[in-house]
Amino acid sequence: MSALKKIFSIKKKPESAVEPSKEDDVKKIKLTFFESGYGSSKQAEGNHMVFKACLQDVYMDYKGKCREDERLQNSLKEPYIQERSKYEIELKKRRTVKAILDESIATLEKKIQLFKSEIVDVRHNPEKYVEDVDKKPKAQFYLGLIVLIPITFYLLVFYISASYSAFFKTFDPNATVTAAIFDANALSKAIEDGWLEGVFVATIPFAFMGLGYLIHMFQKHKNWLSFVKIGTLFVVTFIFDAILAYQIEKKIYDFDKTPISPPFDVGIALTSPEFWGIIFAGFVVYIIWGLVFDFIMKEYENFDRIKSFIRARREDIENAHLEINKLIGKINPIKEEISGIEGKINDLQRTIDGFIFSNKHYLTYHAEYVKGWFLAIADNFDSLKRRDELLAKCKEEERKHLEEHEIADESYEGRLYKLIN
């Protein structure tokens, strides 16, 4: 058995010496195996149990030498090293993609926090986020609305009563001027006179309010044409109020006139205090209503700008969350791929850190040893029966040996002995 330990012991040549070729080394080792097998078989007289022990000894000796053969190991591990490099490149790519996606998610999360802080801050510092906005539009809006509502009711009552008095009412000569103008039952009386009269009287106040709305809209455009339109609307409103006042004053004058009284005309109307009282009771209040309405609308626009800003920021937050969910949906598969690649790299690294038993090389030397053993049996036993018996038993031991170590397949390059962490 001592000869087996020297099979793989090849003397190291000085660096300056010419190294023998790999093919020559293989031939020498194969010859040594053959001679060792022949000698051991002859010495043991072909005993199959000794043959079994010798095969195990050859296997273990080769296994140790295979582990120590750095050049052979590097050659056997080269495909695994290259495969690991490919996986490392793929791992780097996926980590880069994941880092980009993580950075995008972090950026979106920062934006969400910024949007939330802006939603809180815009209520206290609206001018910081919205141009031309008052700091407290909400309070001023509600104060203006409190003033506008009773004025609106006043105009409704005034124009319904005044239009009914001017066009449809029959005056009582004993009634006062105030009673002649303001009639609490003007709308119901107009409806009793006919549905057209009722509709006419009920809608006249909204015509004036529509004029006020147009004035507000024209004021948004600061140009000469807008000022001309606004002036025209004021003139039209004044003329209509003057017509109402003229008609009412005429009816009162006709009831009070004497045979010597001159016919009622514009000159008489212009000198009548009641005429101007009716005009200013409607027109001046109408101007006040228009100014308050314009103020409220401006404050509402300021208030609406803040609400629009908040609404836009909430939409931005919702969109950011949707984008984050999309990015997370992309990251999860990448994480799984990274985990799988890391597992493969770790598995390859354990292979590289361990060693590879070369089945192919071992079977080459194993075959030479067995050939030597069998040849010794054939050369040293004349009895055909005894020789065939020994050969059969040794072949069975060889088969068991190869199956036990799972090295029966010559096309299989090697078995992996991975480093266990």
Side-chain angles (χ1 to χ4, degrees):
M1 295 295 177
S2 60
L4 291 174
K5 297 181 180 179
K6 299 178 180 179
I7 291 177
F8 299 98
S9 300
I10 301 174
K11 288 186 177 181
K12 293 184 179 179
K13 302 290 184 181
E15 293 184 1
S16 60
V18 178
E19 294 185 358
S21 66
K22 184 177 181 181
E23 186 178 351
D24 291 338
D25 285 345
V26 171
K27 288 180 179 179
K28 289 179 181 179
I29 295 174
K30 287 171 69 176
L31 180 59
T32 306
F33 265 95
F34 177 81
E35 292 173 347
S36 178
Y38 189 94
S40 298
S41 178
K42 184 177 180 181
Q43 185 179 0
E45 296 181 352
N47 186 282
H48 67 283
M49 297 304 295
V50 176
F51 178 63
K52 176 181 179 181
C54 288
L55 287 180
Q56 184 66 19
D57 196 17
V58 170
Y59 174 79
M60 296 304 295
D61 190 63
Y62 177 80
K63 185 176 180 181
K65 297 300 181 182
C66 183
R67 184 196 297 269
E68 296 170 1
D69 191 340
E70 185 176 345
R71 185 174 64 180
L72 176 61
Q73 288 298 310
N74 289 338
S75 175
L76 294 173
K77 292 176 181 178
E78 183 62 27
Y80 300 98
I81 294 173
Q82 291 179 358
E83 188 176 5
R84 182 189 63 182
S85 298
K86 292 179 182 178
Y87 279 120
E88 286 176 344
I89 292 172
E90 292 299 320
L91 180 62
K92 185 176 181 180
K93 290 180 181 178
R94 281 159 178 76
R95 282 178 174 172
T96 300
V97 173
K98 181 178 177 296
I100 293 173
L101 294 175
D102 285 336
E103 185 177 354
S104 299
I105 290 175
T107 301
L108 289 171
E109 288 176 344
K110 288 181 181 178
K111 285 185 177 180
I112 289 173
Q113 294 302 321
L114 177 62
F115 294 154
K116 288 181 178 179
S117 65
E118 287 179 350
I119 288 174
V120 175
D121 192 43
V122 72
R123 302 178 190 276
H124 305 287
N125 302 294
E127 73 283 355
K128 183 178 177 181
Y129 305 96
V130 183
E131 294 182 359
D132 302 327
V133 67
D134 201 334
K135 288 186 176 181
K136 296 181 179 179
K138 190 172 183 180
Q140 295 178 0
F141 170 78
Y142 286 119
L143 288 174
L145 192 62
I146 291 172
V147 175
L148 182 68
I149 290 174
I151 296 177
T152 302
F153 281 119
Y154 170 84
L155 289 178
L156 287 171
V157 171
F158 174 81
Y159 280 110
I160 288 174
S161 180
S163 59
Y164 176 73
S165 299
F167 298 108
F168 306 110
K169 184 176 181 178
T170 302
F171 281 81
D172 183 357
N174 298 321
T176 62
V177 175
T178 303
I181 298 173
F182 295 103
D183 190 338
N185 299 315
L187 182 59
S188 60
K189 290 179 180 179
I191 294 174
E192 289 176 359
D193 293 342
W195 68 271
L196 287 176
E197 288 84 347
V199 171
F200 177 79
V201 170
T203 54
I204 277 183
F206 296 100
F208 283 92
M209 293 178 189
L211 293 175
Y213 178 77
L214 290 176
I215 291 172
H216 163 73
M217 296 303 295
F218 290 147
Q219 283 183 344
K220 290 185 176 182
H221 307 285
K222 305 297 182 181
N223 52 57
W224 67 270
L225 183 60
S226 297
F227 290 114
V228 170
K229 292 178 180 179
I230 292 171
T232 302
L233 290 175
F234 275 118
V235 171
V236 169
T237 304
F238 180 81
I239 292 174
F240 192 84
D241 278 330
I243 292 173
L244 290 177
Y246 182 84
Q247 287 292 108
I248 294 172
E249 182 63 24
K250 182 177 181 303
K251 288 184 177 182
I252 296 174
Y253 182 83
D254 288 341
F255 277 109
D256 295 337
K257 72 178 180 179
T258 61
I260 60 173
S261 297
F264 187 81
D265 55 17
V266 175
I268 296 174
L270 294 176
T271 59
S272 173
E274 290 82 1
F275 174 80
W276 293 106
I278 295 171
I279 289 177
F280 287 109
F283 183 71
V284 173
V285 176
Y286 164 77
I287 292 176
I288 295 172
W289 182 91
L291 293 174
V292 175
F293 177 79
D294 182 66
F295 170 80
I296 288 177
M297 291 302 295
K298 288 180 179 179
E299 295 305 319
Y300 178 78
E301 288 172 1
N302 289 338
F303 184 47
D304 192 56
R305 285 195 197 107
I306 296 174
K307 290 195 297 183
S308 298
F309 178 84
I310 293 174
R311 184 166 54 250
R313 282 293 178 262
R314 285 175 176 166
E315 290 177 358
D316 291 338
I317 291 173
E318 184 177 355
N319 292 333
H321 280 303
L322 291 175
E323 188 65 25
I324 287 174
N325 291 334
K326 289 181 182 178
L327 294 175
I328 291 175
K330 293 179 180 178
I331 284 179
N332 289 334
I334 293 176
K335 285 182 177 179
E336 293 178 1
E337 290 178 2
I338 289 174
S339 179
I341 293 173
E342 287 177 342
K344 291 177 181 178
I345 289 175
N346 292 334
D347 190 57
L348 289 170
Q349 189 61 49
R350 287 196 298 271
T351 300
I352 294 169
D353 292 339
F355 85 98
I356 300 175
F357 179 88
S358 178
N359 288 2
K360 201 171 186 180
H361 288 77
Y362 171 72
L363 287 173
T364 300
Y365 306 133
H366 168 86
E368 291 299 320
Y369 186 85
V370 172
K371 186 167 61 175
W373 187 281
F374 287 177
L375 185 59
I377 293 175
D379 290 345
N380 293 286
F381 289 92
D382 295 331
S383 173
L384 183 59
K385 181 179 179 182
R386 176 61 177 166
R387 186 172 57 192
D388 290 343
E389 183 183 350
L390 288 173
L391 288 173
K393 288 181 178 180
C394 288
K395 284 182 180 179
E396 180 63 21
E397 291 299 333
E398 181 195 14
R399 184 187 65 78
K400 291 179 179 179
H401 170 78
L402 294 176
E403 289 179 354
E404 178 185 353
H405 297 290
E406 299 177 355
I407 51 176
D409 188 0
E410 292 186 13
S411 63
Y412 188 60
E413 179 62 36
R415 189 174 344 147
L416 308 178
Y417 289 87
K418 299 179 181 180
L419 182 66
I420 300 175
N421 295 329

